[in-house]
């Protein structure tokens, strides 16, 4: 297969669902902006060089429906010849899009592609607008449809992840994110225009635009303070709003090109996708997915946990992230894991997360002068996904 190189990877800030700065900004505007920005930030690349765009989205309906992959291509101002598709692997949708976009280049079906991710949880809520579980199947397999919070409680209780440890983990995520924000370390963020509708004196509304520069959900806290929050999924549980990921709006985009096209256009490679793996697990403890996906992708690549310089493991819940870290034997490498915080502080915009974490992983590899990075997450329905990127 041909080598496929990443030449750009960027993201918007992540903003809180309904209460955040993107709560009046349509998802099409977020994704088309970051797609256009990715091209503009890539020296010697023009929109007409793109062959195909694949966008990951967990709930591709409503404002995110009607093949957002193609709509965003046109809204970004790309030529008619640039095709677009939408892919859904729930929480790994953005990573799946990057893997598929890379594969198209590797097998010679395209020369330049884009893998992206999008989710506006303000406009399309978790579960979608009209969830319709199968009536018979849901009776025999209810775990396929239960709240992700319940699966996090299952992990905590089955594998003895204490409330105290979850809150410590969450507070540490917030502290790392705040420090990174205050020191300008989120270099993968592109300041993004947002919309708000302001009521006028005549009771009409005027559409105004402003710029969002930072993730708006970071809230510095202590383990003791988080310990005062009540459990939200079980009266006797340990999973709270404080040690769970934030529901978030955001978008991210990564551009991939063949070596031949890089040489022809003078594009500068920054990384390449080494390997990608997905795997299934029990639906009622879906959070353990990275525990199985990371060893699988390492085996595919012929690498070990000791070879990885940066881990971006999605913090869907502190219980599952901490359990996976412990069982993988990488707790000794906490200085390599989510070094600028994770989803507890920065948000989990579902279908965007894999693309968002890719941009963060590559930025962090550059910061620490590392070679290999892993992006991994658990996936609703009982799965895990993991990708290894090599900085070049």
């Amino acid at each position: 297969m041909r080598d496929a190189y990443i030449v750009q990877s960027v993201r918007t800030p992540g903003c809180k669902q309904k209460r955040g700065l993107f709560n009046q900004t349509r998802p099409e505007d977020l994704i088309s902006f970051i797609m256009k920005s990715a091209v503009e930030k890539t020296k010697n690349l023009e929109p007409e060089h793109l062959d195909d765009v694949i966008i990951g989205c967990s709930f591709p309906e409503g404002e995110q429906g009607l093949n957002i992959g193609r709509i965003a291509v046109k809204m970004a101002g790309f030529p008619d010849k640039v095709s677009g598709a939408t892919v859904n692997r729930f929480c790994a949708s953005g990573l799946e899009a990057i893997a598929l976009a890379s594969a198209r280049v590797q097998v010679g079906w395209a020369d330049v592609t884009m893998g992206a991710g999008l989710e506006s949880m303000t406009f399309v809520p978790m579960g979608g607008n009209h969830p319709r579980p199968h009536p018979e199947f849901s009776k025999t397999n209810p775990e396929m449809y239960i709240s992700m919070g319940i699966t996090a409680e299952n992990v905590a209780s089955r594998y003895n992840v204490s409330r105290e440890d979850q809150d410590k983990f969450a507070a540490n995520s917030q502290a790392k994110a705040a420090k990174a924000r205050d020191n300008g370390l989120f270099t993968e963020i592109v300041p993004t225009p947002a919309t708000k509708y302001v009521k006028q004196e005549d009771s009409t509304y005027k559409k105004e635009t402003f710029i969002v520069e930072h993730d708006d959900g970071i809230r510095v806290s202590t383990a003791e303070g988080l310990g005062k929050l009540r459990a939200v999924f079980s009266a006797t549980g340990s999973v709270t709003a404080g040690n769970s990921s934030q529901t978030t709006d955001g978008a991210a985009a990564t551009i991939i090109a063949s070596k031949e096209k890089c040489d022809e256009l003078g594009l500068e490679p920054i990384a390449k996708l080494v390997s990608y793996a997905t795997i299934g697990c029990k639906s009622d403890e879906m959070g353990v997915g990275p525990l199985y996906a990371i060893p699988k992708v390492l085996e595919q690549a012929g690498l070990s946990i000791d070879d990885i310089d940066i881990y971006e493991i999605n913090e869907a819940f502190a219980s599952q992230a901490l359990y996976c870290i412990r069982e993988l034997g990488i707790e000794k490498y906490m200085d390599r894991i989510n070094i600028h915080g994770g989803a507890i502080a920065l948000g989990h915009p579902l279908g965007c997360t894999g693309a968002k974490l890719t941009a963060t992983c590559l930025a962090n590899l550059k910061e620490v002068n590392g070679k290999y990075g892993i992006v991994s997450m658990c996936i609703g329905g009982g799965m895990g996904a993991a990708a290894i990127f090599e900085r070049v």
Side-chain angles (χ1 to χ4, degrees):
M1 291 195 300
R2 302 193 304 177
D3 285 328
Y5 289 104
I6 294 171
V7 297
Q8 190 61 257
S9 192
V10 291
R11 70 176 179 95
T12 71
C15 295
K16 294 176 291 185
Q17 175 200 30
K18 294 185 179 179
R19 296 177 293 114
L21 296 173
F22 287 150
N23 66 348
Q24 296 183 53
T25 305
R26 285 183 63 113
E28 308 99 315
D29 293 325
L30 290 177
I31 187 64
S32 59
F33 169 79
I34 203 64
M35 287 165 55
K36 184 178 180 182
S37 296
V39 173
E40 290 175 345
K41 287 175 66 68
T42 306
K43 186 179 178 181
N44 299 327
L45 187 71
E46 299 295 336
E48 56 264 27
H49 293 137
L50 288 166
D51 294 308
D52 193 24
V53 173
I54 302 174
I55 295 177
C57 183
S58 288
F59 292 98
E61 59 178 86
E63 292 84 354
Q64 298 175 165
L66 301 172
N67 190 7
I68 187 65
R70 176 59 176 168
I71 290 171
V73 162
K74 295 304 298 174
M75 287 186 65
F78 297 171
D80 285 340
K81 79 175 190 69
V82 182
S83 52
T86 308
V87 62
N88 178 12
R89 197 189 284 275
F90 274 3
C91 308
S93 298
L95 192 58
E96 184 77 19
I98 291 170
L100 291 173
S102 296
R104 291 184 70 80
V105 172
Q106 289 171 326
V107 301
W109 292 350
D111 291 314
V112 184
T113 59
M114 180 182 289
L118 165 70
E119 207 77 39
S120 173
M121 301 183 75
T122 295
F123 279 81
V124 184
M126 176 86 79
N129 292 311
H130 300 289
R132 292 290 186 271
H134 190 280
E136 286 80 31
F137 185 70
S138 62
K139 291 178 181 178
T140 58
N141 297 81
E143 72 279 0
M144 292 299 296
Y145 303 103
I146 61 175
S147 161
M148 296 299 100
I150 296 299
T151 72
E153 287 285 9
N154 290 342
V155 172
S157 60
R158 290 175 188 175
Y159 303 113
N160 301 312
V161 184
S162 70
R163 168 70 185 269
E164 182 182 13
D165 285 348
Q166 292 176 61
D167 289 341
K168 285 180 180 177
F169 184 86
N172 193 37
S173 182
Q174 297 282 0
K176 289 188 290 186
K179 182 178 179 180
R181 177 198 59 199
D182 295 345
N183 287 278
L185 299 179
F186 290 118
T187 57
E188 75 277 14
I189 289 179
V190 179
T192 302
T195 297
K196 62 180 177 181
Y197 292 86
V198 180
K199 191 172 184 178
Q200 306 297 299
E201 291 185 1
D202 61 359
S203 295
T204 61
Y205 284 82
K206 180 182 178 181
K207 182 178 180 180
E208 296 183 359
T209 301
F210 61 101
I211 300 298
V212 180
E213 297 186 356
H214 303 291
D215 304 293
D216 74 2
I218 301 170
R219 15 178 234 283
V220 177
S221 49
T222 63
E224 293 74 22
L226 292 175
K228 297 176 183 178
L229 300 176
R230 66 178 181 85
V232 293
F233 300 104
S234 169
T236 58
S238 59
V239 178
T240 72
N243 59 38
S244 304
S245 60
Q246 299 174 34
T247 49
T248 306
D249 306 332
T254 292
I255 299 174
I256 303 104
S258 67
K259 182 181 185 302
E260 294 79 6
K261 208 66 177 179
C262 288
D263 292 342
E264 176 190 334
L265 298 177
L267 305 177
E268 182 178 353
I270 58 175
K272 64 180 179 179
L273 175 64
V274 175
S275 195
Y276 175 60
T278 60
I279 194 167
C281 60
K282 291 181 179 179
S283 301
D284 69 347
E285 56 176 39
M286 63 92 202
V288 304
L291 174 58
Y292 305 116
I294 289 176
K296 183 177 180 179
V297 79
L298 285 169
E299 183 179 3
Q300 288 176 185
L303 298 171
S304 74
I305 59 171
D306 301 319
D307 295 317
I308 305 303
D309 300 294
I310 287 291
Y311 287 90
E312 291 295 334
I313 300 177
N314 190 43
E315 299 169 358
F317 301 93
S319 64
Q320 57 81 210
L322 191 51
Y323 172 68
C324 290
I325 288 167
R326 289 172 173 173
E327 290 299 305
L328 285 165
I330 58 175
E331 200 167 12
K332 60 185 177 181
Y333 290 133
M334 290 302 287
D335 60 340
R336 305 182 188 182
I337 302 170
N338 301 354
I339 65 170
H340 296 326
I344 290 171
L346 303 171
H348 174 22
L350 298 181
C352 171
T353 287
K356 168 183 181 288
L357 292 183
T358 296
T360 299
C361 179
L362 298 183
N364 291 346
L365 275 176
K366 181 178 180 181
E367 179 185 328
V368 303
N369 196 28
K371 184 174 183 181
Y372 293 113
I374 278 184
V375 171
S376 185
M377 67 283 293
C378 58
I379 305 168
M383 292 185 285
I388 298 175
F389 296 94
E390 179 182 358
R391 180 170 165 257
V392 297

